[in-house]
Amino acid sequence: DAKTTQPNSMESNEEEPVHLPCNHSTISGTDYIHWYRQLPSQGPEYVIHGLTSNVNNRMASLAIAEDRKSSTLILHRATLRDAAVYYCILRDAGGTSYGKLTFGQGTILTVHP
Amino acid sequence: DVKVTQSSRYLVKRTGEKVFLECVQDMDHENMFWYRQDPGLGLRLIYFSYDVKMKEKGDIPEGYSVSREKKERFSLILESASTNQTSMYLCASYRAERGNTIYFGEGSWLTVV
């Protein structure tokens, strides 16, 4: 199964941009890159996903490397409500494991006022 | 709004009891998952199902079983609860098309005493 690697933690100040990296060197050609975040005592919530091209939505941007072996989630202006654990995951869409989702450890983002 | 509902948010059970955790989604999703989440270990996949009556073991299936009799409902069963199954359990679902968003429930906190 394709794995992802993320830093254990990152810190940011409020109103500043945050770049959360994710390495996925064993990604397959049809895997989508998904980002989710989890607030304390809640289930993960969707942030953004993409395949090859950079993606933007109201929450964040996703920058995908040309070789797709890494990606970066960009929060343009961090707020205190963005403090969460951020997970980068790949959709395993091949063979008998179709649909299986594997989570890494995630990155704990701390936002300072 | 799309929804994944876990029947119980907080449960306390005794060692040896049979425990049922129910998950219902209202989005006609084929794929459903059960994870457990423990401090420092992230989300670990217990079982997943890609269709009614179909199931596959995840990474930590020991001590658990599942049931998927209807498309919208995926149940996690602890036949004989043990204290090392004290954890937060998360249900997730998504439609079986590439790139689709994954939806999570709010989580069920199980304490086995």
Side-chain angles (χ1 to χ4, degrees):
Chain A
D1 297 333
K3 302 289 186 199
T4 62
T5 305
Q6 300 174 252
N8 289 334
S9 62
M10 292 187 66
E11 296 186 19
S12 173
N13 295 317
E14 207 173 5
E15 304 281 317
E16 290 183 357
V18 181
H19 291 233
L20 297 165
C22 181
N23 287 320
H24 28 79
S25 59
T26 59
I27 190 171
S28 72
T30 54
D31 280 339
Y32 277 77
I33 302 158
H34 286 246
W35 282 84
Y36 289 76
R37 70 180 187 182
Q38 187 176 21
L39 301 171
S41 301
Q42 294 186 23
E45 65 171 342
Y46 171 79
V47 177
I48 200 166
H49 76 279
L51 182 62
T52 56
S53 305
N54 295 343
V55 184
N56 299 295
N57 67 20
R58 63 176 179 81
M59 290 180 71
S61 296
L62 176 61
I64 301 172
E66 197 169 334
D67 64 5
R68 300 206 331 122
K69 293 185 176 182
S70 65
S71 62
T72 302
L73 177 70
I74 302 164
L75 306 178
H76 295 286
R77 292 180 64 193
T79 70
L80 297 178
R81 288 173 295 182
D82 291 324
V85 180
Y86 286 79
Y87 293 99
C88 163
I89 66 174
L90 304 179
R91 283 279 303 277
D92 182 355
T96 59
S97 297
Y98 178 70
K100 182 177 177 180
L101 305 172
T102 302
F103 282 75
Q105 292 297 309
T107 298
I108 300 171
L109 175 65
T110 301
V111 180
H112 300 289
Chain B
D1 280 349
V2 295
K3 208 163 183 183
V4 177
T5 303
Q6 295 183 228
S7 56
S8 304
R9 282 283 275 160
Y10 301 97
L11 307 93
V12 180
K13 298 291 182 181
R14 295 192 181 278
T15 300
E17 275 193 80
K18 190 169 186 176
V19 181
F20 291 88
L21 298 178
E22 303 284 338
C23 176
V24 177
Q25 47 92 6
D26 61 2
M27 299 163 282
D28 201 37
H29 287 171
E30 297 86 352
N31 294 296
M32 296 188 74
F33 301 79
W34 274 106
Y35 293 88
R36 65 177 282 176
Q37 186 172 31
D38 302 287
L41 296 177
L43 278 78
R44 294 182 291 167
L45 182 62
I46 304 171
Y47 268 96
F48 67 103
S49 168
Y50 51 88
D51 202 350
V52 175
K53 296 190 186 295
M54 306 302 287
K55 60 185 179 184
E56 284 204 28
K57 294 180 180 179
D59 300 316
I60 51 163
E62 297 77 19
Y64 302 95
S65 62
V66 290
S67 172
R68 183 111 182 256
E69 296 297 318
K70 294 184 177 181
K71 192 174 187 179
E72 66 270 19
R73 188 180 298 270
F74 191 35
S75 302
L76 180 69
I77 303 156
L78 289 67
E79 293 288 343
S80 179
S82 63
T83 54
N84 63 12
Q85 292 178 309
T86 292
S87 186
M88 205 262 273
Y89 291 87
L90 279 165
C91 176
S93 76
Y94 69 89
R95 186 178 302 283
E97 292 170 7
R98 296 190 191 284
N100 273 346
T101 300
I102 305 153
Y103 295 92
F104 288 86
E106 287 296 302
S108 298
W109 293 87
L110 172 66
T111 301
V112 183
V113 297

